Amino acid sequence: MPDTLIPTADEARAEIERLSLRTQLFIDGGFRDAADGTRFTSVNPATGRPIAEVARGGPADVEAAVAAARRAADDGRWSRLNPGDRKQILVRWAHLIEAHARELGLIETIDAGKPITDTVGLDMPETAMCIRWHAEAADKLYGQVAPTPEGTVATITREPLGVVGAVIPWNYPAQMAAWKLGPALATGNTVVIKPASNTSLSLLRIAELAAEAGIPDGVLNVVTGPGDTVGEAIGRHPHIDGLAFTGSTEVGRRFLHYSAESNLKRVMLELGGKSPQLVFPDVIDFETIAANIAAAIFWNMGENCSAGSRLIVHRAVKERVLDALQAQMALWPVGDPLDPATKIGPMITRGQMEKVLGYVEIGRREGARVLTGGTQILEETGGWYVPPTVVDNVRNDMTIAREEIFGPVLSVIEFDTEAEAVAIANDTPYGLASSLYTENLNVAHRVARELQAGVVAVNCYSEGDMTTPFGGYKLSGFGGHDKSVHAHDQYTETKTIWIQLKAAG
Ligand code: NDP
C-alpha cells in the first residue's frame, strides 16, 4: 500500500525520532564504512543542526564499487536476466518505495529542507512511478531488421553500456536518482551512483529497498562523499562505460574532461537554466497565469534547474500580471518544512542562501527594484530562509537575468513586440525550459518553435511528464535526455549484426 498520507508536524517529529538512518556506503549488496573510516556531517537546513554522520567515501571506495558493478555487469546476473524478470524485480522495488514513501519523505525533508507535503506527497510517489515506468518498458524494447540486399540479414539491437556512473544533485535527491537509475537499470546496466554530499540519506535507504526487492548484489552501488574526490574518481574511472550527471554547468563541463582524459565514456549532462516565462498582451485569465508563474519560480524554493526565473511580460499587461502575482504571495507560506502548510522551506545551505541574497543585492546595485522579499527571514530558527522575491525593472543584460540564481527570485523584464520577446528569451547561454502565455494559437505555435529550449510549456508551467523527454539546449544539457523511452538510448549501445546467407543447395 502506498504510504503517502502527509503527517502533521507533531507526528512528523515523533516519527523522525524513530528513524533509523542508513549512513554507510552501499557496495556489493551491503553497507560498509569508508575504507579510511572517515565521515562527514549532514545538516538539517531548517535548523542548521547535524542530523547524521555519513561515510566519507574516497577513491578506494569508488574502486570497490566499480569492481562490484563490473563483476555484476560481466557475469550477466542482471543484463542476461529475462527482461520480464528484470521488470518484475524493478516493479517490486517501486512498490517498496511507495510503501515507504512517508519514511523516505521524512528523511528527505530533514536532509534537504524540502516541504513535507512535497516529499511525501510528490517526490516519493514520482520516484516510484519513474522506476515503475522504465521497468515496464524493459520487456517492450524491440530491435530492428535493416532493409539489406537479398542474401543478407542485418539486425540492429541495443545492448546495455555495462557499468553506468551517476552523480546527482541535492535539489531532488530521490527523484534525480530515479531519473538515472530507472532507465539505466531497466536496460540492463549496473550502476555506481554518488548522491550530493548535502543529501545522501534518502538514496541509501532506497538502495536498501532495492536489495529487499531482489536487485542482485553489485548491480546498484552507492558511494557517498565529496564531488572532487568521489565524483571525479567516478568520472575518470576506466571501467565505467557511461556517466549521467545532473548539476551545475561548471561541474558538468568537468565530466567531459574526465571522459576525454580517460576512456571516452558516454557522458549525459542535465545542467542549469535561466528559463523564460513569456506573457503576451492578449491574455485574459491573470489569476491562473500568476499561479503558474509563481509555481515556476517558487516551487522547491526556486532550487530547480527548470525554474522560470525570467518573467518577460508585455508592457501593456505588466501591472495586471504583477498585481495578480502579488495576490499569489500569500499562497506560498515560508516556514518549517515539517509543517504541512509550508510551501517554501529553507535554502539547502547557508552558502546557497548567501549566494541567492547576493544576487538580489547585485540586482539592486545594477538598477533593478526589489518589489517583495530579498532578505533572510526566520533567522531565529537557525535555518536559511529566503522568501519569494520579485525584482522589477530588470534588463536582460543584468547579472540577475544572466546567471542561474537557484533560489526563489523572479526577474521581471518588459517587452513591446513578439520579436523582441523571443530575442530576449533566447538571449541566454541556457536553454532548458520555457513557458508562454497567449490566447492566440498562431502566437503559441510560432513562438514555441522559435524558443531555444528543450521544453516549451504553453499556457502552463510544466516539464511534461514521464512520457516526454527532458533535457536542454546550449549550456543546459549534453548527450541525452532524462525520462521517456528516449532516456533508454543513452544507456545502450547500438549493435549491427550482418549475416551473409549461403545460397540454397
Ligand atoms: P554541483 O554541480 O557542484 O554538484 C552536483 C553534484 O556534482 C554533486 O553530487 C557534487 O558533489 C558533484 N560534484 C561537485 N564537484 C565535482 C567534481 N569536481 N567532480 C565530480 N563531481 C562533482 O552543484 P552544487 O550543489 O554545488 O550547486 C551549485 C550550483 O549549481 C547551484 O547554485 C545551481 O546553480 C546549480 N545546480 C543545478 C542543478 C540542476 O538541477 N541542474 C542541481 C544543483 C545545482 P558534492 O555534493 O559532494 O559537492
Side-chain angles (χ1 to χ4, degrees):
M1 274 285 289
D3 188 9
T4 51
L5 193 66
I6 314 293
T8 64
D10 286 343
E11 285 169 347
R13 282 190 201 96
E15 287 170 35
I16 287 163
E17 290 301 312
R18 296 197 294 273
L19 284 176
S20 149
L21 298 172
R22 306 291 174 266
T23 58
Q24 292 170 295
L25 316 176
F26 185 79
I27 295 177
D28 211 7
F31 286 106
R32 61 169 85 166
D33 286 327
D36 65 7
T38 55
R39 290 183 164 260
F40 65 95
T41 305
S42 200
V43 169
N44 183 341
T47 61
R49 287 201 286 273
I51 45 174
E53 296 293 313
V54 180
R56 185 188 185 91
D61 302 297
V62 172
E63 212 47 62
V66 175
R70 188 78 261 169
R71 275 195 304 277
D74 290 349
D75 69 17
R77 73 186 77 165
W78 184 243
S79 62
R80 291 194 205 123
L81 263 190
N82 177 340
D85 293 340
R86 203 158 63 224
K87 172 179 79 175
Q88 291 304 343
I89 294 172
L90 290 172
V91 166
R92 204 153 52 228
W93 186 28
H95 277 310
L96 283 171
I97 293 169
E98 264 173 354
H100 291 81
R102 180 149 153 169
E103 174 200 347
L104 289 165
L106 283 165
I107 293 173
E108 198 89 307
T109 289
I110 57 171
D111 208 17
K114 291 163 67 92
I116 191 78
T117 313
D118 290 350
T119 56
V120 175
L122 289 171
D123 289 54
M124 297 311 156
E126 296 255 326
T127 297
M129 188 271 283
C130 175
I131 301 288
R132 182 182 298 115
W133 195 92
H134 290 289
E136 286 178 347
D139 61 355
K140 299 167 192 71
L141 298 170
Y142 293 84
Q144 294 174 320
V145 179
T148 55
E150 188 66 25
T152 58
V153 176
T155 60
I156 304 166
T157 52
R158 314 278 316 187
E159 294 183 347
L161 295 179
V163 179
V164 167
V167 175
I168 56 167
W170 41 257
N171 53 344
Y172 292 88
Q175 271 199 73
M176 288 304 104
W179 281 19
K180 313 299 184 198
L181 294 174
L185 292 173
T187 48
N189 296 282
T190 64
V191 179
V192 176
I193 183 167
K194 185 197 105 58
S197 299
N198 294 318
T199 54
S200 305
L201 300 176
S202 59
L203 181 56
L204 290 169
R205 180 73 178 109
I206 286 170
E208 188 177 30
L209 296 176
E212 192 179 327
I215 292 184
D217 295 351
V219 170
L220 170 59
N221 305 276
V222 184
V223 184
T224 50
D228 57 6
T229 52
V230 173
E232 178 161 351
I234 291 173
R236 290 190 181 279
H237 204 290
H239 297 147
I240 290 184
D241 307 291
L243 188 288
F245 172 77
T246 295
S248 64
T249 297
E250 183 199 343
V251 174
R253 283 181 197 277
R254 287 176 191 247
F255 279 100
L256 292 174
H257 284 287
Y258 301 156
S259 168
E261 290 161 9
S262 58
N263 61 338
L264 287 185
K265 58 178 66 62
R266 306 277 176 274
V267 177
M268 290 77 74
L269 306 175
E270 200 268 277
L271 306 171
K274 197 70 198 170
S275 298
Q277 308 194 61
L278 288 79
V279 183
F280 287 91
D282 60 8
V283 293
I284 298 166
D285 185 356
F286 287 89
E287 193 182 331
T288 303
I289 291 169
N292 277 285
I293 292 170
I297 184 61
F298 302 141
W299 191 262
N300 208 50
M301 292 68 79
E303 293 172 334
N304 191 352
C305 51
S306 66
S309 51
R310 291 182 299 147
L311 173 60
I312 301 171
V313 55
H314 193 276
R315 195 180 301 275
V317 288
K318 183 179 128 180
E319 290 313 319
R320 286 194 68 186
V321 171
L322 289 184
D323 286 348
L325 197 55
Q326 189 57 40
Q328 289 291 318
M329 293 302 167
L331 306 177
W332 290 87
V334 186
D336 181 358
L338 289 176
D339 180 344
T342 292
K343 287 193 77 175
I344 299 192
M347 299 274 90
I348 186 75
T349 57
R350 175 184 294 282
Q352 187 67 21
M353 176 190 73
E354 287 170 352
K355 177 180 158 188
V356 171
L357 297 178
Y359 272 115
V360 177
E361 197 41 48
I362 292 171
R364 269 200 192 97
R365 283 208 302 272
E366 291 183 356
R369 189 164 66 102
V370 179
L371 293 183
T372 177
T375 48
Q376 183 182 4
I377 59 168
L378 302 173
E379 211 170 334
E380 66 285 359
T381 61
W384 306 300
Y385 292 92
V386 177
T389 299
V390 179
V391 185
D392 194 8
N393 295 348
V394 176
R395 287 189 325 270
N396 203 49
D397 61 356
M398 289 180 181
T399 309
I400 51 169
R402 303 215 68 80
E403 297 183 12
E404 184 173 47
I405 297 176
F406 230 61
V409 180
L410 181 68
S411 293
V412 182
I413 303 170
E414 288 178 4
F415 73 89
D416 288 308
T417 65
E418 182 183 313
E420 190 188 356
V422 171
I424 295 170
N426 288 339
D427 178 18
T428 167
Y430 295 107
L432 192 54
S434 58
S435 358
L436 69 92
Y437 297 89
T438 179
E439 291 292 313
N440 184 326
L441 199 60
N442 297 303
V443 173
H445 276 289
R446 227 170 24 231
V447 174
R449 285 177 191 198
E450 286 178 19
L451 289 175
Q452 296 161 357
V455 180
V456 181
V458 178
N459 289 331
C460 62
Y461 164 61
S462 176
E463 293 180 357
D465 66 11
M466 200 47 66
T467 65
T468 56
F470 183 74
Y473 288 21
K474 304 194 273 187
L475 293 193
S476 291
F478 179 93
H481 289 86
D482 288 313
K483 306 197 300 180
S484 86
V485 284
H486 291 273
H488 296 187
D489 294 346
Q490 67 224 18
Y491 296 108
T492 51
E493 292 280 15
T494 301
K495 177 175 275 182
T496 296
I497 301 178
W498 184 278
I499 304 166
Q500 187 69 53
L501 301 177
K502 285 189 175 160

